[in-house]
Structure formats: structure tokens, C-alpha cells
Amino acid sequence: MVLPLLFFLCIPANADPLRSAPFSYSELTALYHRDELDGPLRAKLDAVLSTPFVRNSNSGRVNLPRSKELGEYLRVFHWNIQRGIEFNAIRALLTSDAELKELLNHERFKPGSEALAKLLDEAAMLRAADVIVLNEVDVGMKRTGYRNIAADLADALGMNYAFGVQFVELSPVYLTEKTRGNAAGVEVADILSVDPAHYKGLHGVAILSRFPLENVRLIPFKTMPYDWFKSEKKGPSVLEKGKRAIAKTVFLEETFREVRRGGRTTLLAEIADERLPMGRITIAATHLENRTKPARRVDQMNELLDKVRDIPHPVVLAGDLNTSTSDLTPTSVRREFMNRFGNPKYWVRQAASYALGIGMLEEIILSGITFGRKHSDPTVKHIPFIAPNPERQLFKKIKEFRFADGVAFDLRGDKTRSAGGKTKAFSNSNQRGKKGFVTTYQVARPIMFIGKYKLDWIFVKPAKLTDPKDRKQSYRFAPHFGRTLTVVSEAVEGRISDHRPIIVDLPLAEPPIK
């Protein structure tokens, strides 16, 4: 692995580290066709999946925002940008009201309207951020114009950036080969064919910062519960195809085949400044697996927590944790059969239903109530068999976790420190609504609350907090006014992203607010 690593490490700090493709097109073709890899290509793939790309081109002093409630503070926002397909809208949101207004649906955002005022207010909130964490970021993909999304946004904002590869996308490579003709010599439509000269096929996570990024590391999860290469190459089962067809018809959600090498990962970077508590903080940008059971996401979270345990200064952990409370692994007849009849929990629930006199109608109602209580609040209590919530365990891990110095993640909720004056757990860091949290993801056409979820989170290790809910302890660098911005993702026709951005403010000193 030495030679591939040297390739990345020898790039000057202020140059674009992704100015050339890590893989040639012939190597990408080999990555698709070879089920097993060895030798230089295996070593190169491992290096790409474990070596971050970093560019620090801005090293000037950062002017931080200040408010009467917090004093001087650092703002962080996280957003799953759905690959960056609507790049121009994202850039306009973060840079220019005038450019943004040119892109709007003017029937919905009429001049002088309340809707336009709210949109511009949310755009201003995003522009005040000093650190940005992004999920689903493309580099060299046709669907995003072969852009380096992270680098192009960093250029527009005058920021530094780090990018970590989660996946090398191979489906478009295969489809391009198909356009050259099949066995019968018949040309296949080349809707998704790519330009081999520009295709890089990289997809991952990014951190943008007004501060230089130091000690940047990319740590793939060892827990990889879904094989995106072998499973997707095999293709969906008949039952899964039917399930996807229903989702497309009812919710307007289309699931594409994604053959790719790699897996979920965490990108870590440090920021140093004398104004920060202890002079330094760590940003952890992560993305947990969606195509798995909640228990395997807990395994991934345990890995992440082990990696950050010894960090002696504040930590901001942000990402799409896919806390849907469900197992979204593609299904099959055998899998559905085993999930029900081969699962002891199924028989226990059936016995409980019989003992309690619960029939089919009551079972459907009970299932609806269970989903309703979880969809916007995956932290709710787990009631075995009656109202299960397997995602609860992840939040229990966050609550119980202690760093090596004894400091905990902040779970507090205060009327004066949360958006909307909420007091339940995580209210200061993640905005709560009337019931549960304000959801951060929704399908194209949700039906009431069906198709809406709270998937995206920010967790903060403040300067000093040994009890995650103790309101008598310090609030220095503790999360304040966590918000989910509900308008910006819908700013353009067809949406910018299926996820909403979330923000949080972190005071550098003990805040004046009480």
C-alpha cells in the first residue's frame, strides 16, 4: 500500500488533491468485473478508501459570530446533499440571495411573501456557519456534472476542505460498456453512459471549514453489514422489485441499482485556534448504513465511539445516522419467511396477541401506533413485542458513553437554550417539534407522517460535562439552539435534497444566557 499512499501524501497542501482521477477507466472496469481483487489494484482501492483528500488554501484569522445570548460562538451545520445534484442551488443558498432568487419557484416564493422571507432567513443561518459537514458528496460523477462537489463549494465559500471516499461507484462504468453493443450487436440506450476521460466515480463525506483542517483521518467501519458490490451486482429479487415498484408509485421514490466498492466511514479532522476550549476541537463526520438492522448501526456507532474515546478536547459528531428504526436491507421471499416464521420474537408476539385477544385489525392499529411514535423520535422507549424500538439502543450508547477524560456527550434540553423552548433530551442540539423531533428526511410524496424520519444528528462533547443531563454544569462549547431548517431543501423545483440541513451553535466561553 506504500506507493498508493505516497501518491496522495505528496500533493501540495494548497493544490486540489483530486485534480486527477485516482483510478484509470480501465482500473474502474476491472473493479467492476473482478469479484476478487489482489495485488496493486487491491492496494490502491484500500488506499483510496482510507486516505482523506485535504486542501487547506485559507489560513487567515476567522471572524466568528457573536450574540447577546451566547457571546462569541462557532456555528456548525450538517446536510446530506443527495450527491450534490442541485449544486447551483446549494452554492446560491450559501453565497448569494440574488442568485438564489433566480432559481426559485416564483409562484411559491413570491416577492414580499412570508415563504420567501423564511427561505432567506434560513439561507442566512447557513451562511453564518464556520464548519460544514456534508454527506453524499460526489466527485467526478456524470449525475453531478463531473464536479468535485466539496472542492467547488469550498472555492465558492473561501473555505478549506477534506473529503473521504465511501464508495467507488461502478454501475455507470458497466452501463457505459453496455452502450457499446450487446452480444447481438444491438446498441443499448446510453442514458447513463459516462465520459471515461472525466469519470472518477467517487462518493463520500466532506468537511468544509473556515479554519485549516489538521490531523485529518479517514476510518472505514469494520462492521460492513451490507455488501454493496456483491449484493447489488446480483440485482434485486422479484419481491424486492415489487416493493420498489410500489414505493415508486405511492411515494414517488425510485431505488436504483448501485454497484460499488467500499462502505460506510468516518472522516475526522481537527481545528486549532486559541479561542477554542483547550485550543482545539475535533469534527467527526460520519454516515451509518441504511441497508441493515438497527443493531448493526449500533455496532458501527460502537466502533466510532472507540475511535474518539481518547480525544482530550471538545468533539462535534455529525452525520446521517439512518435512524429509521427499520431494517432496509433489500428483501427476498426467503428473508421475509425467516424474519417472521424463523424468528422467535415473531412467535412470542403471536402468543402475546392471542393471550390479549388482539386480532388482525388491532394488530394493524398497534403497528401504526408503533410507527407513529418512532418515525420522528427514534429515541423513544423500547417496549418489547408491543411497541418495539430497536433504534433506542444507539441513543442509549450515546447517553452512557464517556470519553477517557470523563466528559460525556451533551443530552440537555433547556427552555432558554433550545429552539422552541423544549426541555427533553437532545433538545439543545437537535430541534424538537410538537411530537418528537423535527424530521430531517422525507420521501418525494409523504402520506401524512408516513415517509418522514429523523435521520440526521449532531452530538457534542462540550468543554466539561460529566453528567449528560446536568443543567448545573458548564455550558461552555455546549450545543445551543439546534435547528432543522425546513424550507431550504424545497427551494427549487424537484427539491435540492431529500434531507434537511441541521445547525447548532457552540459558545466559546461560558454563555451569558441563563
Side-chain angles (χ1 to χ4, degrees):
M1 193 182 295
V2 174
L3 289 177
L5 281 172
L6 286 176
F7 171 79
F8 298 122
L9 296 175
C10 291
I11 296 170
N14 61 348
D16 185 352
L18 280 163
R19 66 192 187 283
S20 59
F23 296 102
S24 67
Y25 197 76
S26 62
E27 287 174 324
L28 291 168
T29 302
L31 286 173
Y32 181 88
H33 285 292
R34 295 184 195 171
D35 289 342
E36 303 297 330
L37 300 177
D38 54 18
L41 187 57
R42 173 81 261 176
K44 192 170 188 178
L45 176 64
D46 290 344
V48 168
L49 295 173
S50 60
T51 308
F53 297 88
V54 185
R55 188 184 69 191
N56 283 315
S57 54
N58 181 12
S59 58
R61 183 175 175 81
V62 177
N63 294 318
L64 293 169
R66 177 183 292 274
S67 72
K68 64 179 182 179
E69 294 89 359
L70 300 181
E72 198 170 33
Y73 64 92
L74 180 81
R75 176 167 292 177
V76 176
F77 93 69
H78 164 265
W79 198 3
N80 179 324
I81 57 172
Q82 200 176 4
R83 306 176 178 91
I85 290 173
E86 292 290 347
F87 174 83
N88 290 334
I90 296 170
R91 180 180 57 192
L93 270 170
L94 300 179
T95 59
S96 169
D97 280 352
E99 289 184 22
L100 178 60
K101 289 176 181 178
E102 291 294 322
L103 300 173
L104 297 181
N105 179 332
H106 295 290
E107 286 299 313
R108 181 176 179 187
F109 298 100
K110 295 179 180 179
S113 67
E114 183 178 339
L116 179 60
K118 185 172 182 179
L119 172 63
L120 297 180
D121 185 48
E122 289 190 353
M125 292 182 192
L126 294 178
R127 291 173 198 164
D130 308 289
V131 176
I132 301 171
V133 174
L134 300 175
N135 286 141
E136 293 197 13
V137 181
D138 274 359
V139 175
M141 296 287 292
K142 180 178 180 179
R143 63 194 178 196
T144 43
Y146 301 108
R147 288 182 177 277
N148 179 342
I149 296 294
D152 289 353
L153 277 179
D155 287 341
L157 299 171
M159 286 184 161
N160 307 302
Y161 87 92
F163 174 76
V165 179
Q166 278 189 304
F167 298 106
V168 180
E169 303 283 354
L170 301 173
S171 289
V173 175
Y174 171 70
L175 290 169
T176 296
E177 287 190 330
K178 295 277 283 185
T179 65
R180 298 171 184 170
N182 59 21
V186 179
E187 291 294 317
V188 181
D190 64 346
I191 296 172
L192 292 178
S193 65
V194 300
D195 180 355
H198 294 94
Y199 188 80
K200 294 184 176 72
L202 306 181
H203 182 75
V205 295
I207 299 171
L208 278 62
S209 169
R210 301 192 194 282
F211 301 86
L213 296 168
E214 303 179 0
N215 193 21
V216 183
R217 297 97 75 200
L218 182 62
I219 307 175
F221 288 112
K222 294 179 181 177
T223 301
M224 295 291 187
Y226 184 73
D227 190 328
W228 283 90
F229 179 71
K230 292 182 179 179
S231 298
E232 292 291 297
K233 195 172 182 180
K234 182 171 62 177
S237 68
V238 173
L239 188 60
E240 177 66 19
K241 287 180 180 177
K243 179 180 170 183
R244 294 179 182 185
I246 292 171
K248 183 177 180 181
T249 301
V250 177
F251 300 110
L252 302 182
E253 286 295 303
E254 190 162 6
T255 303
F256 295 99
R257 185 175 175 219
E258 295 180 280
V259 181
R260 49 196 190 176
R261 298 270 190 178
R264 306 300 182 180
T265 192
T266 300
L267 180 65
L268 296 165
E270 294 178 11
I271 292 169
D273 189 282
E274 71 278 2
R275 294 167 291 179
L276 298 171
M278 304 175 199
R280 185 174 294 268
I281 64 170
T282 291
I283 307 297
T286 196
H287 196 167
L288 303 189
E289 186 57 71
N290 62 327
R291 296 191 176 184
T292 190
K293 298 177 180 179
R296 304 311 302 278
R297 286 192 282 273
V298 173
D299 292 339
Q300 291 185 325
M301 180 57 71
N302 282 334
E303 281 190 47
L304 194 164
L305 295 176
D306 284 343
K307 294 298 181 183
V308 302
R309 188 182 303 276
D310 293 328
I311 295 176
H313 47 256
V315 175
V316 180
L317 192 167
D320 178 355
L321 305 188
N322 275 310
T323 46
S324 65
T325 75
S326 302
D327 180 1
L328 299 180
T329 306
T331 194
S332 65
V333 172
R334 181 182 183 279
R335 184 169 180 274
E336 290 300 313
F337 182 88
M338 293 304 296
N339 278 349
R340 287 168 170 78
F341 307 114
N343 187 339
K345 292 181 180 179
Y346 170 82
W347 295 109
V348 172
R349 180 159 181 166
Q350 291 301 105
S353 297
Y354 178 80
L356 296 172
I358 297 175
M360 182 179 292
L361 178 60
E362 290 89 346
E363 177 81 7
I364 293 171
I365 294 171
L366 185 60
S367 296
I369 292 172
T370 299
F371 178 81
R373 68 190 285 270
K374 293 187 305 182
H375 84 283
S376 65
D377 190 356
T379 73
V380 295
K381 290 183 179 180
H382 169 67
I383 306 173
F385 312 120
I386 304 300
N389 176 23
E391 213 78 67
R392 166 85 171 187
Q393 188 64 22
L394 186 147
F395 298 95
K396 184 180 178 183
K397 292 289 182 183
I398 294 291
K399 177 182 177 181
E400 296 175 349
F401 178 75
R402 297 294 183 274
F403 290 83
D405 57 8
V407 179
F409 282 110
D410 195 322
L411 272 66
R412 291 176 289 191
D414 301 84
K415 286 186 177 181
T416 57
R417 303 174 192 268
S418 65
K422 304 296 182 178
T423 58
K424 289 187 177 180
F426 297 110
S427 295
N428 293 352
S429 51
N430 295 271
Q431 186 176 0
R432 285 184 173 269
K434 292 180 180 179
K435 292 184 179 180
F437 294 87
V438 178
T439 53
T440 62
Y441 168 88
Q442 69 178 43
V443 297
R445 184 169 64 190
I447 301 173
M448 298 178 65
F449 58 75
I450 300 174
K452 299 180 180 181
Y453 299 93
K454 169 64 172 171
L455 303 184
D456 307 271
W457 299 85
I458 296 177
F459 303 129
V460 180
K461 174 197 179 188
K464 187 177 181 181
L465 180 68
T466 55
D467 182 336
K469 291 187 175 182
D470 189 353
R471 296 189 180 102
K472 295 181 180 179
Q473 294 193 44
S474 171
Y475 280 88
R476 187 184 184 197
F477 210 74
H480 285 74
F481 307 121
R483 290 181 175 87
T484 298
L485 306 186
T486 59
V487 177
V488 292
S489 289
E490 307 288 334
V492 300
E493 198 70 34
R495 298 192 298 178
I496 293 175
S497 173
D498 49 9
H499 288 251
R500 294 164 166 174
I502 55 177
I503 66 173
V504 72
D505 294 337
L506 307 165
L508 303 191
E510 197 66 41
I513 192 172
K514 300 297 182 182

mmCIF file of all heavy atoms in Angstrom, residues 62-76 125 128-130 211 275-276 477-478 480-481 483 504-509 511:
data_model
loop_
_atom_site.group_PDB
_atom_site.id
_atom_site.type_symbol
_atom_site.label_atom_id
_atom_site.label_comp_id
_atom_site.label_asym_id
_atom_site.label_seq_id
_atom_site.Cartn_x
_atom_site.Cartn_y
_atom_site.Cartn_z
ATOM 1 N N VAL A 62 -10.215 33.801 11.444
ATOM 2 C CA VAL A 62 -11.650 33.672 11.232
ATOM 3 C C VAL A 62 -12.396 34.604 12.178
ATOM 4 O O VAL A 62 -12.171 34.583 13.401
ATOM 5 C CB VAL A 62 -12.107 32.215 11.471
ATOM 6 C CG1 VAL A 62 -13.620 32.094 11.322
ATOM 7 C CG2 VAL A 62 -11.388 31.267 10.516
ATOM 8 N N ASN A 63 -13.273 35.432 11.612
ATOM 9 C CA ASN A 63 -14.126 36.298 12.424
ATOM 10 C C ASN A 63 -15.394 35.538 12.782
ATOM 11 O O ASN A 63 -16.240 35.270 11.921
ATOM 12 C CB ASN A 63 -14.472 37.576 11.656
ATOM 13 C CG ASN A 63 -13.251 38.437 11.404
ATOM 14 O OD1 ASN A 63 -12.408 38.606 12.285
ATOM 15 N ND2 ASN A 63 -13.166 38.986 10.201
ATOM 16 N N LEU A 64 -15.515 35.184 14.044
ATOM 17 C CA LEU A 64 -16.639 34.367 14.487
ATOM 18 C C LEU A 64 -17.844 35.231 14.830
ATOM 19 O O LEU A 64 -17.693 36.384 15.251
ATOM 20 C CB LEU A 64 -16.230 33.543 15.703
ATOM 21 C CG LEU A 64 -15.175 32.465 15.434
ATOM 22 C CD1 LEU A 64 -14.642 31.896 16.734
ATOM 23 C CD2 LEU A 64 -15.767 31.353 14.572
ATOM 24 N N PRO A 65 -19.061 34.702 14.670
ATOM 25 C CA PRO A 65 -20.264 35.467 15.030
ATOM 26 C C PRO A 65 -20.379 35.643 16.539
ATOM 27 O O PRO A 65 -19.765 34.915 17.324
ATOM 28 C CB PRO A 65 -21.403 34.609 14.483
ATOM 29 C CG PRO A 65 -20.845 33.218 14.425
ATOM 30 C CD PRO A 65 -19.393 33.368 14.132
ATOM 31 N N ARG A 66 -21.212 36.606 16.927
ATOM 32 C CA ARG A 66 -21.411 36.913 18.341
ATOM 33 C C ARG A 66 -22.881 37.262 18.550
ATOM 34 O O ARG A 66 -23.501 37.895 17.696
ATOM 35 C CB ARG A 66 -20.518 38.084 18.753
ATOM 36 C CG ARG A 66 -20.686 38.547 20.198
ATOM 37 C CD ARG A 66 -19.794 39.754 20.474
ATOM 38 N NE ARG A 66 -18.397 39.391 20.453
ATOM 39 C CZ ARG A 66 -17.731 38.914 21.508
ATOM 40 N NH1 ARG A 66 -18.355 38.751 22.664
ATOM 41 N NH2 ARG A 66 -16.446 38.622 21.420
ATOM 42 N N SER A 67 -23.431 36.844 19.679
ATOM 43 C CA SER A 67 -24.804 37.204 20.033
ATOM 44 C C SER A 67 -24.854 37.539 21.517
ATOM 45 O O SER A 67 -23.982 37.136 22.289
ATOM 46 C CB SER A 67 -25.768 36.051 19.720
ATOM 47 O OG SER A 67 -25.594 34.976 20.628
ATOM 48 N N LYS A 68 -25.918 38.251 21.932
ATOM 49 C CA LYS A 68 -26.040 38.622 23.338
ATOM 50 C C LYS A 68 -26.321 37.404 24.215
ATOM 51 O O LYS A 68 -25.983 37.397 25.399
ATOM 52 C CB LYS A 68 -27.132 39.674 23.522
ATOM 53 C CG LYS A 68 -28.543 39.197 23.158
ATOM 54 C CD LYS A 68 -29.563 40.297 23.400
ATOM 55 C CE LYS A 68 -30.985 39.814 23.074
ATOM 56 N NZ LYS A 68 -31.994 40.880 23.322
ATOM 57 N N GLU A 69 -26.934 36.358 23.631
ATOM 58 C CA GLU A 69 -27.228 35.160 24.421
ATOM 59 C C GLU A 69 -26.001 34.287 24.627
ATOM 60 O O GLU A 69 -25.819 33.689 25.694
ATOM 61 C CB GLU A 69 -28.307 34.304 23.726
ATOM 62 C CG GLU A 69 -29.673 34.951 23.631
ATOM 63 C CD GLU A 69 -29.824 35.770 22.357
ATOM 64 O OE1 GLU A 69 -28.846 35.846 21.570
ATOM 65 O OE2 GLU A 69 -30.915 36.319 22.138
ATOM 66 N N LEU A 70 -25.128 34.220 23.605
ATOM 67 C CA LEU A 70 -24.022 33.262 23.644
ATOM 68 C C LEU A 70 -22.647 33.898 23.718
ATOM 69 O O LEU A 70 -21.673 33.214 24.032
ATOM 70 C CB LEU A 70 -24.072 32.354 22.404
ATOM 71 C CG LEU A 70 -25.330 31.502 22.216
ATOM 72 C CD1 LEU A 70 -25.206 30.654 20.960
ATOM 73 C CD2 LEU A 70 -25.572 30.622 23.426
ATOM 74 N N GLY A 71 -22.546 35.164 23.426
ATOM 75 C CA GLY A 71 -21.227 35.742 23.244
ATOM 76 C C GLY A 71 -20.658 35.256 21.922
ATOM 77 O O GLY A 71 -21.397 34.995 20.967
ATOM 78 N N GLU A 72 -19.350 35.082 21.838
ATOM 79 C CA GLU A 72 -18.729 34.591 20.610
ATOM 80 C C GLU A 72 -18.980 33.085 20.498
ATOM 81 O O GLU A 72 -18.825 32.348 21.473
ATOM 82 C CB GLU A 72 -17.232 34.878 20.642
ATOM 83 C CG GLU A 72 -16.566 34.807 19.288
ATOM 84 C CD GLU A 72 -15.136 35.326 19.322
ATOM 85 O OE1 GLU A 72 -14.470 35.139 20.367
ATOM 86 O OE2 GLU A 72 -14.678 35.917 18.327
ATOM 87 N N TYR A 73 -19.367 32.633 19.304
ATOM 88 C CA TYR A 73 -19.703 31.218 19.153
ATOM 89 C C TYR A 73 -19.280 30.696 17.785
ATOM 90 O O TYR A 73 -19.029 31.456 16.843
ATOM 91 C CB TYR A 73 -21.205 30.985 19.360
ATOM 92 C CG TYR A 73 -22.117 31.648 18.345
ATOM 93 C CD1 TYR A 73 -22.525 30.984 17.200
ATOM 94 C CD2 TYR A 73 -22.588 32.961 18.545
ATOM 95 C CE1 TYR A 73 -23.365 31.581 16.273
ATOM 96 C CE2 TYR A 73 -23.432 33.567 17.629
ATOM 97 C CZ TYR A 73 -23.819 32.870 16.499
ATOM 98 O OH TYR A 73 -24.652 33.472 15.583
ATOM 99 N N LEU A 74 -19.194 29.372 17.709
ATOM 100 C CA LEU A 74 -18.906 28.656 16.469
ATOM 101 C C LEU A 74 -20.200 28.001 15.994
ATOM 102 O O LEU A 74 -20.889 27.361 16.791
ATOM 103 C CB LEU A 74 -17.849 27.578 16.731
ATOM 104 C CG LEU A 74 -17.407 26.714 15.541
ATOM 105 C CD1 LEU A 74 -16.367 27.470 14.718
ATOM 106 C CD2 LEU A 74 -16.801 25.400 16.044
ATOM 107 N N ARG A 75 -20.522 28.163 14.724
ATOM 108 C CA ARG A 75 -21.714 27.514 14.172
ATOM 109 C C ARG A 75 -21.301 26.353 13.271
ATOM 110 O O ARG A 75 -20.415 26.488 12.425
ATOM 111 C CB ARG A 75 -22.579 28.494 13.385
ATOM 112 C CG ARG A 75 -23.790 27.830 12.694
ATOM 113 C CD ARG A 75 -24.797 28.834 12.195
ATOM 114 N NE ARG A 75 -25.454 29.507 13.319
ATOM 115 C CZ ARG A 75 -26.361 30.488 13.177
ATOM 116 N NH1 ARG A 75 -26.703 30.907 11.961
ATOM 117 N NH2 ARG A 75 -26.901 31.045 14.238
ATOM 118 N N VAL A 76 -21.970 25.214 13.459
ATOM 119 C CA VAL A 76 -21.743 24.025 12.638
ATOM 120 C C VAL A 76 -23.059 23.657 11.966
ATOM 121 O O VAL A 76 -24.118 23.718 12.592
ATOM 122 C CB VAL A 76 -21.263 22.842 13.502
ATOM 123 C CG1 VAL A 76 -21.114 21.572 12.661
ATOM 124 C CG2 VAL A 76 -19.937 23.180 14.191
ATOM 125 N N MET A 125 -28.784 31.786 7.965
ATOM 126 C CA MET A 125 -28.297 30.909 9.043
ATOM 127 C C MET A 125 -27.187 29.994 8.546
ATOM 128 O O MET A 125 -26.174 29.781 9.223
ATOM 129 C CB MET A 125 -29.446 30.075 9.610
ATOM 130 C CG MET A 125 -30.496 30.854 10.359
ATOM 131 S SD MET A 125 -31.763 29.707 11.018
ATOM 132 C CE MET A 125 -33.031 30.871 11.506
ATOM 133 N N ALA A 128 -23.757 31.674 7.956
ATOM 134 C CA ALA A 128 -23.008 32.046 9.163
ATOM 135 C C ALA A 128 -22.185 30.886 9.720
ATOM 136 O O ALA A 128 -21.460 31.053 10.696
ATOM 137 C CB ALA A 128 -23.964 32.562 10.236
ATOM 138 N N ALA A 129 -22.288 29.705 9.110
ATOM 139 C CA ALA A 129 -21.578 28.532 9.624
ATOM 140 C C ALA A 129 -20.078 28.645 9.369
ATOM 141 O O ALA A 129 -19.638 29.115 8.316
ATOM 142 C CB ALA A 129 -22.123 27.263 8.985
ATOM 143 N N ASP A 130 -19.308 28.183 10.332
ATOM 144 C CA ASP A 130 -17.848 28.166 10.231
ATOM 145 C C ASP A 130 -17.337 26.780 9.854
ATOM 146 O O ASP A 130 -16.227 26.626 9.357
ATOM 147 C CB ASP A 130 -17.235 28.587 11.563
ATOM 148 C CG ASP A 130 -17.809 29.904 12.058
ATOM 149 O OD1 ASP A 130 -17.485 30.944 11.456
ATOM 150 O OD2 ASP A 130 -18.601 29.894 13.023
ATOM 151 N N PHE A 211 -11.461 27.398 9.115
ATOM 152 C CA PHE A 211 -10.176 27.154 9.753
ATOM 153 C C PHE A 211 -9.411 26.083 8.970
ATOM 154 O O PHE A 211 -10.024 25.187 8.373
ATOM 155 C CB PHE A 211 -10.374 26.631 11.183
ATOM 156 C CG PHE A 211 -11.143 27.543 12.092
ATOM 157 C CD1 PHE A 211 -12.531 27.503 12.129
ATOM 158 C CD2 PHE A 211 -10.483 28.439 12.934
ATOM 159 C CE1 PHE A 211 -13.251 28.324 12.986
ATOM 160 C CE2 PHE A 211 -11.202 29.262 13.787
ATOM 161 C CZ PHE A 211 -12.576 29.210 13.810
ATOM 162 N N ARG A 275 -8.908 30.641 20.604
ATOM 163 C CA ARG A 275 -10.194 30.994 21.202
ATOM 164 C C ARG A 275 -11.034 29.774 21.577
ATOM 165 O O ARG A 275 -11.986 29.884 22.336
ATOM 166 C CB ARG A 275 -10.983 31.878 20.226
ATOM 167 C CG ARG A 275 -10.366 33.247 19.976
ATOM 168 C CD ARG A 275 -11.017 33.935 18.787
ATOM 169 N NE ARG A 275 -10.688 33.274 17.532
ATOM 170 C CZ ARG A 275 -11.153 33.665 16.338
ATOM 171 N NH1 ARG A 275 -11.989 34.690 16.265
ATOM 172 N NH2 ARG A 275 -10.798 33.006 15.241
ATOM 173 N N LEU A 276 -10.695 28.619 21.029
ATOM 174 C CA LEU A 276 -11.451 27.401 21.300
ATOM 175 C C LEU A 276 -11.088 26.839 22.674
ATOM 176 O O LEU A 276 -9.959 27.020 23.141
ATOM 177 C CB LEU A 276 -11.155 26.346 20.232
ATOM 178 C CG LEU A 276 -11.549 26.702 18.796
ATOM 179 C CD1 LEU A 276 -11.003 25.662 17.830
ATOM 180 C CD2 LEU A 276 -13.066 26.799 18.671
ATOM 181 N N PHE A 477 -19.009 25.667 25.180
ATOM 182 C CA PHE A 477 -18.946 24.851 23.975
ATOM 183 C C PHE A 477 -20.025 23.762 23.970
ATOM 184 O O PHE A 477 -19.900 22.743 23.307
ATOM 185 C CB PHE A 477 -17.567 24.226 23.759
ATOM 186 C CG PHE A 477 -17.244 24.032 22.294
ATOM 187 C CD1 PHE A 477 -16.915 25.112 21.499
ATOM 188 C CD2 PHE A 477 -17.291 22.781 21.716
ATOM 189 C CE1 PHE A 477 -16.634 24.942 20.151
ATOM 190 C CE2 PHE A 477 -17.020 22.591 20.371
ATOM 191 C CZ PHE A 477 -16.690 23.679 19.591
ATOM 192 N N ALA A 478 -21.071 23.965 24.739
ATOM 193 C CA ALA A 478 -22.215 23.050 24.730
ATOM 194 C C ALA A 478 -23.174 23.461 23.608
ATOM 195 O O ALA A 478 -23.225 24.634 23.229
ATOM 196 C CB ALA A 478 -22.934 23.092 26.072
ATOM 197 N N HIS A 480 -26.274 24.767 21.570
ATOM 198 C CA HIS A 480 -27.367 25.705 21.796
ATOM 199 C C HIS A 480 -28.157 25.886 20.503
ATOM 200 O O HIS A 480 -27.586 25.927 19.407
ATOM 201 C CB HIS A 480 -26.841 27.074 22.238
ATOM 202 C CG HIS A 480 -26.376 27.122 23.658
ATOM 203 N ND1 HIS A 480 -25.196 26.543 24.072
ATOM 204 C CD2 HIS A 480 -26.930 27.695 24.764
ATOM 205 C CE1 HIS A 480 -25.038 26.764 25.378
ATOM 206 N NE2 HIS A 480 -26.078 27.464 25.815
ATOM 207 N N PHE A 481 -29.465 26.003 20.638
ATOM 208 C CA PHE A 481 -30.378 26.389 19.558
ATOM 209 C C PHE A 481 -30.229 25.505 18.313
ATOM 210 O O PHE A 481 -30.231 25.997 17.183
ATOM 211 C CB PHE A 481 -30.183 27.860 19.198
ATOM 212 C CG PHE A 481 -30.273 28.778 20.388
ATOM 213 C CD1 PHE A 481 -29.204 29.598 20.743
ATOM 214 C CD2 PHE A 481 -31.407 28.797 21.187
ATOM 215 C CE1 PHE A 481 -29.288 30.432 21.857
ATOM 216 C CE2 PHE A 481 -31.491 29.634 22.297
ATOM 217 C CZ PHE A 481 -30.431 30.451 22.632
ATOM 218 N N ARG A 483 -31.193 23.549 15.284
ATOM 219 C CA ARG A 483 -32.352 23.783 14.422
ATOM 220 C C ARG A 483 -32.326 22.857 13.210
ATOM 221 O O ARG A 483 -31.264 22.534 12.680
ATOM 222 C CB ARG A 483 -32.376 25.225 13.913
ATOM 223 C CG ARG A 483 -32.695 26.273 14.968
ATOM 224 C CD ARG A 483 -32.714 27.667 14.330
ATOM 225 N NE ARG A 483 -33.121 28.705 15.266
ATOM 226 C CZ ARG A 483 -32.297 29.353 16.077
ATOM 227 N NH1 ARG A 483 -31.007 29.057 16.065
ATOM 228 N NH2 ARG A 483 -32.748 30.301 16.883
ATOM 229 N N VAL A 504 -26.194 23.982 14.683
ATOM 230 C CA VAL A 504 -26.064 24.141 16.129
ATOM 231 C C VAL A 504 -25.005 25.204 16.410
ATOM 232 O O VAL A 504 -24.065 25.371 15.628
ATOM 233 C CB VAL A 504 -25.695 22.799 16.808
ATOM 234 C CG1 VAL A 504 -24.254 22.399 16.508
ATOM 235 C CG2 VAL A 504 -25.945 22.838 18.300
ATOM 236 N N ASP A 505 -25.178 25.939 17.512
ATOM 237 C CA ASP A 505 -24.246 26.992 17.909
ATOM 238 C C ASP A 505 -23.519 26.580 19.183
ATOM 239 O O ASP A 505 -24.131 26.064 20.132
ATOM 240 C CB ASP A 505 -24.986 28.310 18.136
ATOM 241 C CG ASP A 505 -25.592 28.870 16.859
ATOM 242 O OD1 ASP A 505 -25.094 28.512 15.774
ATOM 243 O OD2 ASP A 505 -26.561 29.642 16.944
ATOM 244 N N LEU A 506 -22.201 26.857 19.218
ATOM 245 C CA LEU A 506 -21.335 26.400 20.301
ATOM 246 C C LEU A 506 -20.565 27.580 20.872
ATOM 247 O O LEU A 506 -19.618 28.080 20.252
ATOM 248 C CB LEU A 506 -20.369 25.339 19.764
ATOM 249 C CG LEU A 506 -21.040 24.176 19.020
ATOM 250 C CD1 LEU A 506 -20.033 23.381 18.205
ATOM 251 C CD2 LEU A 506 -21.771 23.272 19.996
ATOM 252 N N PRO A 507 -20.950 28.095 22.063
ATOM 253 C CA PRO A 507 -20.286 29.272 22.635
ATOM 254 C C PRO A 507 -18.857 28.967 23.074
ATOM 255 O O PRO A 507 -18.584 27.924 23.673
ATOM 256 C CB PRO A 507 -21.174 29.609 23.837
ATOM 257 C CG PRO A 507 -21.848 28.331 24.192
ATOM 258 C CD PRO A 507 -22.041 27.587 22.901
ATOM 259 N N LEU A 508 -17.934 29.872 22.763
ATOM 260 C CA LEU A 508 -16.522 29.632 23.063
ATOM 261 C C LEU A 508 -16.207 29.833 24.541
ATOM 262 O O LEU A 508 -15.239 29.268 25.052
ATOM 263 C CB LEU A 508 -15.644 30.538 22.210
ATOM 264 C CG LEU A 508 -15.833 30.413 20.696
ATOM 265 C CD1 LEU A 508 -14.730 31.149 19.976
ATOM 266 C CD2 LEU A 508 -15.860 28.946 20.264
ATOM 267 N N ALA A 509 -16.996 30.650 25.215
ATOM 268 C CA ALA A 509 -16.840 30.863 26.659
ATOM 269 C C ALA A 509 -18.160 30.519 27.336
ATOM 270 O O ALA A 509 -19.148 30.178 26.674
ATOM 271 C CB ALA A 509 -16.438 32.309 26.943
ATOM 272 N N PRO A 511 -21.585 30.957 28.312
ATOM 273 C CA PRO A 511 -22.503 31.925 27.692
ATOM 274 C C PRO A 511 -23.244 32.763 28.730
ATOM 275 O O PRO A 511 -23.529 32.285 29.837
ATOM 276 C CB PRO A 511 -23.469 31.038 26.913
ATOM 277 C CG PRO A 511 -23.431 29.726 27.611
ATOM 278 C CD PRO A 511 -22.026 29.570 28.134
#
